Amino acid sequence: MKRPTIHDVAAAAGVSRGTVSRLLNGDKYVSPAARVAIERAISETGYVVNRAARSLVTQRTGSVVMVLSEPHEKLFEDPNYSTLIRVAIRMLAERDLSLVMMLAGDEGDRERVVRYVRGGHADGVLLVSTHAGDPLLDALGGGPPAVSCGAVIGRETVIPYAAADDRLGARQMTEYFVGLGRKRIAMITGPMDTPGGIQRLEGFADVLGRKATQRLIAHGDWTQASGERAMTELLERTPDLDAVFVASDLMAAGALAALRAAGRRVPDDVAVGGFDDSSVAVSTHPPLTTIRQPLAEMAQETLRLLLALIDGAGHVDPVILPTELVIRESA
């Protein structure tokens, strides 16, 4: 059976081929009546847009690339990424754009990402989990518009972003522990070359001041295993600690495992607080008291910024969203 063409759509709609072409290429100046007739004709004929041909005219690829700057295994371990991917696919589909997922956890991965983007295969770049000093950030300069889900640090060129107020969230959790009467409050941070790692530690220190000593701080890398290791380290170093703020729910799950292994009761002996309010928070035993960051809204705002830049906006302002304390049984 012959594949329907743009000429077939024009004939069925009773309009010129040029009118059909203008509509398919996003021209706003097509009359409502013609638009309805063309959309009906597309449905009736089963016409499918030839993206390769259209890209030659529009200079658009019809795709956005999401770049996760983490090792491959983290994509499947951390539930936050699935939320971001789900929102991105939905919002891009509304614009008839496809999502391409790429990982940039090492030098080889980064080189592949740069070749792909500079090769003109994407209309925009969505950056996830960027690290300070990441050479990928500069390598992508001069290409299609890029935005970040989460702030970008340690770089002179500003990349637009949407993010939760990490420092505020950390203050909320630490103040809650103080209000409970906890005296030896420790923290497990995220990586200290990421905005979440730095700003959540800053919020912790804002509340405790000089009490936020190095003995009460251990570092993780967002994985559950790192949370378990850091909690074990803290217990060895400061066995009388009575609360721990963990910079992600996934690491907090690891901290709970270490506390169980050490015979510490939660929250009787040690109160535990996480950050994210991800699906992990309600699956742990006990369920986590945590800081809710509005991840779906962050993803929506990030995509909104990127789509505005793709559509020709010369500048967009960063978006910072508030956090919320969610009290459950771990503290």
Side-chain angles (χ1 to χ4, degrees), residues 98-328:
S98 300
L99 180 69
V100 176
M101 184 76 205
M102 300 191 75
L103 301 176
D106 57 34
E107 184 176 354
D109 287 342
R110 286 192 292 270
E111 290 175 356
R112 280 187 288 275
V113 169
V114 171
R115 287 199 302 270
Y116 185 86
V117 173
R118 286 185 171 176
H121 300 296
D123 296 328
V125 181
L126 173 58
L127 299 168
V128 184
S129 193
T130 58
H131 294 250
D134 188 340
L136 177 66
L137 299 175
D138 290 317
L140 292 175
V147 301
S148 172
C149 188
V152 176
I153 58 173
R155 188 171 186 267
E156 293 183 3
T157 303
V158 176
I159 291 180
Y161 64 88
D165 193 333
D166 288 315
R167 192 164 182 165
L168 169 64
R171 288 200 301 267
Q172 289 170 322
M173 181 62 76
T174 311
E175 288 168 351
Y176 175 67
F177 283 153
V178 171
L180 291 177
R182 303 288 172 156
K183 302 300 183 183
R184 298 281 280 173
I185 305 171
M187 181 178 181
I188 298 173
T189 78
M192 296 308 293
D193 62 349
T194 64
I198 294 170
Q199 293 168 9
R200 294 172 197 180
L201 177 58
E202 289 174 343
F204 176 75
D206 287 343
V207 177
L208 294 184
R210 292 181 179 178
K211 292 183 179 179
T213 65
Q214 288 300 316
R215 287 181 61 83
L216 289 168
I217 299 168
H219 303 291
D221 63 7
W222 302 131
T223 64
Q224 184 168 335
S226 75
E228 187 169 358
R229 287 194 301 270
M231 189 72 250
T232 300
E233 176 187 333
L234 286 170
L235 289 172
E236 292 173 352
R237 195 190 304 160
T238 314
D240 60 339
L241 65 86
D242 59 4
V244 59
F245 166 44
V246 191
S248 80
D249 292 344
L250 196 58
M251 291 195 300
L256 288 172
L259 288 166
R260 281 194 299 273
R264 302 298 179 92
R265 296 170 300 166
V266 176
D268 304 68
D269 300 327
V270 180
V272 178
F275 200 110
D276 289 329
D277 197 29
S278 66
S279 58
V280 172
V282 293
S283 65
T284 58
H285 181 71
L288 275 173
T289 290
T290 188
I291 295 296
R292 176 178 295 154
Q293 59 170 335
L295 192 62
E297 189 176 351
M298 284 169 53
Q300 290 168 6
E301 288 298 316
T302 304
L303 267 295
R304 181 184 62 80
L305 297 178
L306 181 58
L307 290 171
L309 291 172
I310 290 173
D311 288 341
H315 172 79
V316 292
D317 293 319
V319 177
I320 300 177
L321 300 166
T323 55
E324 175 188 357
L325 174 68
V326 179
I327 299 173
R328 295 194 180 94

Side-chain angles (χ1 to χ4, degrees), residues 86-95 299-300 303-304 307:
R86 184 171 63 252
V87 172
I89 289 173
R90 175 180 57 78
M91 290 186 65
L92 293 174
E94 293 172 358
R95 294 282 298 269
Q300 290 168 6
L303 267 295
R304 181 184 62 80
L307 290 171

